[in-house]
Amino acid sequence: MMLKRMVAVFLLLLVLCMPLAALSYARDFAVTFGHMALFDGYQSNGLHGYFGISKGLTEQFEANIFTQVELTPSIVSDVQIGFDVSYSLLGKRWDAEGYAGSGVNMLASAGILTGFHNPEGRFAIDSVFLRLTPVTVGTSHSGKRDRFLSMGLAWNFHDKKLSLLWNILLSDIYITGTYKGVAY
Amino acid sequence: MRKNRLVLIVIMLACMQLSFASYRTAGYGWSVEGTAFLLQPAYSSSSGALHILLTPFDFEFLEPAMFCEVRFGIRSGSPGYLNLTAGSEISLFRMINHPFGFLMPVNKTAYAPSFSIGARWESHDAEVPRLYMQLAWLRLLEKDAWYQWFSPFVTLDVRSGQIDSWGIQLWRFSYLVW
């Protein structure tokens, strides 16, 4: 039942993103994986993985849909699904001409987290968050971008509590929008 | 015990200085992993580690590399030293034409899965080392850097012969700089 609801939310977020993607003129699309931690009292001592997709919207905006999954000690015992919009602070992340944007950048992100991080343990929207990624290296043009040491704050509606969230490293592997699709 | 570990690290550093090969044969790196203890779940942790690496040979098959790794992380909500691991990682083979090039799209890589075996001294029970085994199924080699992702591992308690812990190394990056 819970799994169905999570899949439904993920699909709903995906559908909601489609108009954004359709309106976007950035052609880049990536799959993302990496590490995440949220110190809100619901996560265990274990390791959580971040898996998602990233779609460029404009030269400086992008949208991310992701899931944060517990890998150890109990695989998939804690799952959150999230959505955020990120803005590149150090210039273009993608260029309409097909050239690389800024190879080193910073990202400011705002988004929501859904999951079971509430006292009732029911599937719901848990938190809103703001996140700053101080360094990204790479672009869609080169096919890969690494986001280092992202840190943010999440506000849990249910507990009315502010918590630290962070990602040591997130890697974006670009499927489209790379140099391979550019005609010179 | 501490003296033994220091001796081990000193020997590895000395070996690095003695390597005269034309290619880079030693380096360092970092990794992130999560560990789940089966009998003592309270010791489960997420952690980061620094390691040094020595790879004196250049075999196409079964190339061994020695490593020593010190790990720090969060256990029961408290950060601190977790364990020390020393062992050998053996590249099973190398393949230049492989389907994982998209993971490191800038440079040419070789696909080289490896099997690691070693000893791990846990901070909560350092008397007897655990037997550490890892399979790096997604491991790419550049000329001067090695990358691996999603590598499962287990440790065995040599006293009882039972699995003590298991885990996943989310990534491990090594840079051959010497």
Side-chain angles (χ1 to χ4, degrees):
Chain A
M1 187 65 183
M2 289 298 180
L3 183 66
K4 279 183 184 173
R5 290 180 73 175
M6 287 191 303
V7 170
V9 169
F10 190 78
L11 291 175
L12 181 65
L13 286 172
L14 206 60
V15 168
L16 287 174
C17 282
M18 280 179 181
L20 285 175
L23 289 172
S24 70
Y25 58 89
R27 287 193 300 268
D28 59 298
F29 174 78
V31 294
T32 308
F33 63 90
H35 159 271
M36 75 78 48
L38 172 60
F39 299 97
D40 65 350
Y42 290 97
Q43 285 199 352
S44 68
N45 287 320
L47 177 72
H48 280 64
Y50 175 113
F51 305 93
I53 54 177
S54 177
K55 175 73 184 80
L57 303 176
T58 69
E59 289 174 335
Q60 284 181 266
F61 277 105
E62 66 188 65
N64 298 284
I65 304 174
F66 53 89
T67 178
Q68 305 180 151
V69 183
E70 181 173 328
L71 299 177
T72 66
S74 305
I75 289 183
V76 202
S77 67
D78 177 47
V79 180
Q80 283 188 296
I81 295 167
F83 169 77
D84 73 51
V85 173
S86 299
Y87 181 77
S88 302
L89 294 171
L90 303 184
K92 295 176 182 176
R93 41 165 294 285
W94 182 83
D95 190 285
E97 303 298 323
Y99 294 95
S102 179
V104 177
N105 219 317
M106 292 174 72
L107 289 174
S109 311
I112 58 166
L113 291 173
T114 63
F116 305 93
H117 290 202
N118 52 74
E120 295 82 28
R122 61 189 166 80
F123 189 75
I125 295 177
D126 292 327
S127 312
V128 290
F129 68 89
L130 295 172
R131 174 163 50 201
L132 178 72
T133 305
V135 183
T136 72
V137 177
T139 63
S140 62
H141 190 78
S142 64
K144 188 180 181 192
R145 179 184 67 177
D146 288 319
R147 310 183 220 168
F148 293 98
L149 298 174
S150 305
M151 297 197 83
L153 292 170
W155 172 255
N156 188 304
F157 299 121
H158 311 282
D159 296 339
K160 297 181 173 45
K161 196 171 92 173
L162 208 55
S163 306
L164 179 73
L165 66 89
W166 75 306
N167 311 87
I168 299 174
L169 172 65
L170 297 176
S171 297
D172 299 301
I173 308 293
Y174 285 91
I175 310 295
T176 62
T178 71
Y179 66 94
K180 292 174 185 168
V182 177
Y184 291 102
Chain B
M1 187 59 70
R2 185 173 291 175
K3 193 179 167 187
N4 288 346
R5 290 177 201 168
L6 280 173
V7 168
L8 185 70
I9 292 169
V10 168
I11 288 171
M12 287 199 71
L13 287 170
C15 288
M16 287 171 192
Q17 299 306 314
L18 290 171
S19 61
F20 293 111
S22 59
Y23 50 88
R24 297 183 191 281
T25 58
Y28 49 79
W30 64 296
S31 60
V32 167
E33 76 176 36
T35 309
F37 283 84
L38 296 182
L39 298 176
Q40 301 160 302
Y43 290 120
S44 296
S45 63
S46 60
S47 59
L50 297 171
H51 65 267
I52 52 176
L53 187 76
L54 178 66
T55 171
F57 308 107
D58 189 24
F59 301 159
E60 199 158 329
F61 297 97
L62 302 176
E63 181 192 18
M66 286 156 279
F67 69 90
C68 185
E69 178 180 86
V70 61
R71 182 163 296 283
F72 301 90
I74 298 174
R75 176 179 282 164
S76 304
S78 303
Y81 162 72
L82 295 184
N83 56 50
L84 182 128
T85 309
S88 180
E89 68 180 81
I90 299 158
S91 298
L92 302 177
F93 57 85
R94 288 186 213 166
M95 189 189 288
I96 295 296
N97 297 313
H98 60 84
F100 302 114
F102 64 90
L103 289 167
M104 299 303 293
V106 176
N107 292 330
K108 188 78 176 169
T109 55
Y111 174 62
S114 72
F115 176 74
S116 296
I117 188 162
R120 173 170 277 191
W121 289 267
E122 293 286 355
S123 62
H124 64 270
D125 182 14
E127 288 295 311
V128 178
R130 270 67 169 170
L131 179 65
Y132 173 85
M133 291 182 285
Q134 184 197 65
L135 180 67
W137 63 276
L138 186 52
R139 180 168 174 266
L140 300 181
L141 310 183
E142 281 183 1
K143 185 170 175 286
D144 295 329
W146 296 357
Y147 310 94
Q148 66 185 56
W149 297 268
F150 305 112
S151 309
F153 66 87
V154 294
T155 66
L156 295 178
D157 188 330
V158 292
R159 291 166 294 198
S160 64
Q162 292 182 320
I163 293 177
D164 187 50
S165 68
W166 68 275
I168 297 170
Q169 203 164 60
L170 205 51
W171 66 78
R172 185 174 198 254
F173 300 154
S174 304
Y175 312 99
L176 301 175
V177 294
W178 296 303

